[in-house]
Amino acid sequence: MTRSRSSYTALLAALCVALAVVMGLAVSFGSVRIPVGDVWAIVGARLAPGTFETWWTAARESIVIDSRLPRALTAAVVGASLAMSGAVAQAVTRNPLADPYLLGVSSGAGFMVVLVTVLGIGAGMLGVFTIPVAAFIGAMIPLFLALLIGGRYPQPTAIILVGVALGQIFSALITFCLLVIADERHITGVMHWLAGGFGDARWSTLIFPTITLVVVGTALLFSSRWMDVLQTGDDGAAALGMNVRRFRVLSLLAVSVLAGAAVSVAGGIGFIGLLIPHLAGFIVGTRAIRLLPAAALLGAVAMVAADTAARSVAQSTEVPVGVITALVGAPIFVWMLYRQYRRLEQ
């Protein structure tokens, strides 16, 4: 047990180092290449003034502190949020194909962004916060409708099925608005948001998803024991004194809030919430207390790496991060499924 615990601690430490490395590279890469050593020196000088003698220009310091660092941190927070919420969604539904957008969060957020962008409803009302706030409100609409409608029925799958249906409705509304109402300029902007990205990341927009990750993530870690109990089946969990229905509803609520906060600043980025929990489970096992932190760190590393690749693939334009995660994540997911089912056949 001690050896297993020390191995797990070493793994988390290695993932933290990997996250620091990819974040350093993310801040270093760009139209203006800044050496990684300079990046950490600039960050260190800002955190502890007087630690380093300044040898860099004010322009480079502004690039690091005001532009690339908040973008990298936002990518890390969003990746951790999606991966953790995906792991919880898969655990409480006992469905390996569940993801954070299970209750239509992404589609609802996208629809509100379309309303703000295409119809101009509330456009510019909150400045740089207009799109994030609209997206989060939109993400919560299908969630609460799913809880209101599906919560009337005793079957736990009712909420999920209602959420899936609402997601399809909002996706149809997005398509209708883009085809019938929007002009070409609006379509380009909305499509980039729907595919996901961190081009609008700022220190101010980082606050809300970070607080959400800390608060909701901590609550999920404290409830990890009940997630493991739920794996015994609803009847077994109920026999151990668990209110299965209430726990599942609260867990799905936490999943959607966490995913909604991530979507509000990054758009609908797929595959991180679906793939990373499987990868983390392959490495550390399925116990929730081990799975959730590992999934969060792996998700942060993967998202920062994907954002760096999105900025580096094409020089003339920035590829949406969702395109990168889909192109890389889909083959890996298929390979993992192939290995799993081949092992079961043997």
Side-chain angles (χ1 to χ4, degrees):
M1 178 68 72
T2 303
R3 184 176 180 181
S4 174
R5 186 176 301 169
S6 61
S7 298
Y8 178 72
T9 303
L11 173 65
L12 293 186
L15 288 175
C16 290
V17 172
L19 179 58
V21 170
V22 295
M23 287 192 63
L25 293 174
V27 179
S28 174
F29 288 163
S31 56
V32 178
R33 181 68 181 273
I34 301 175
V36 175
D38 289 9
V39 168
W40 291 119
I42 292 171
V43 174
R46 205 39 101 84
L47 293 175
T51 306
F52 296 91
E53 182 179 351
T54 303
W55 66 80
W56 53 83
T57 64
R60 289 198 168 194
E61 182 173 352
S62 178
I63 290 173
V64 170
I65 299 298
D66 299 328
S67 178
R68 295 182 188 172
L69 185 58
R71 176 170 182 154
L73 288 171
T74 301
V77 169
V78 168
S81 299
L82 292 179
M84 178 177 280
S85 56
V88 175
Q90 292 169 10
V92 299
T93 63
R94 297 201 299 274
N95 180 0
L97 297 180
D99 72 358
Y101 309 138
L102 191 65
L103 299 183
V105 167
S106 180
S107 299
F111 178 64
M112 284 299 293
V113 170
V114 168
L115 290 184
V116 170
T117 305
V118 175
L119 300 181
I121 299 176
M125 183 181 297
L126 300 175
V128 296
F129 297 102
T130 300
I131 294 297
V133 169
F136 184 75
I137 293 174
M140 294 300 100
I141 291 174
L143 166 63
F144 285 111
L145 286 176
L147 294 176
L148 179 65
I149 299 172
R152 295 173 175 266
Y153 304 96
Q155 295 84 359
T157 55
I159 294 175
I160 299 172
L161 292 175
V162 171
V164 171
L166 289 169
Q168 293 299 315
I169 292 173
F170 281 107
S171 294
L173 291 173
I174 291 172
T175 303
F176 175 82
C177 290
L178 292 179
L179 291 178
V180 177
I181 303 174
D183 57 31
E184 186 174 344
R185 175 173 54 87
H186 291 146
I187 291 176
T188 301
V190 171
M191 291 303 295
H192 268 80
W193 188 92
L194 292 175
F198 301 96
D200 295 328
R202 302 289 186 273
W203 287 111
S204 54
T205 57
L206 175 61
I207 297 173
F208 176 62
T210 302
I211 293 175
T212 304
L213 175 61
V214 172
V215 174
V216 178
T218 301
L220 290 173
L221 285 174
F222 276 111
S223 63
S224 59
R225 183 173 69 91
W226 294 110
M227 295 181 201
D228 294 332
V229 170
L230 195 59
Q231 300 311 303
T232 64
D234 288 7
D235 292 338
L240 293 173
M242 179 181 179
N243 188 325
V244 176
R245 186 172 181 277
R246 182 175 64 185
F247 179 77
R248 183 173 280 120
V249 169
L250 290 176
S251 297
L252 291 176
L253 176 62
V255 164
S256 296
V257 170
L258 202 54
V263 168
S264 71
V265 296
I269 300 176
F271 268 99
I272 294 293
L274 175 64
L275 172 63
I276 295 299
H278 287 279
L279 184 58
F282 180 78
I283 297 172
V284 303
T286 57
R287 282 189 59 202
I289 192 63
R290 289 172 169 256
L291 177 64
L292 297 186
L297 286 171
L298 276 172
V301 171
M303 189 67 82
V304 175
D307 181 51
T308 305
R311 293 190 288 114
S312 307
V313 168
Q315 294 183 349
S316 58
T317 186
E318 182 176 313
V319 178
V321 179
V323 173
I324 301 296
T325 58
L327 288 176
V328 176
I332 295 176
F333 188 66
V334 170
W335 173 77
M336 290 177 64
L337 288 176
Y338 169 76
R339 285 198 59 182
Q340 179 179 351
Y341 285 112
R342 186 178 181 182
R343 187 169 58 250
L344 292 174
E345 290 175 355
Q346 293 175 350

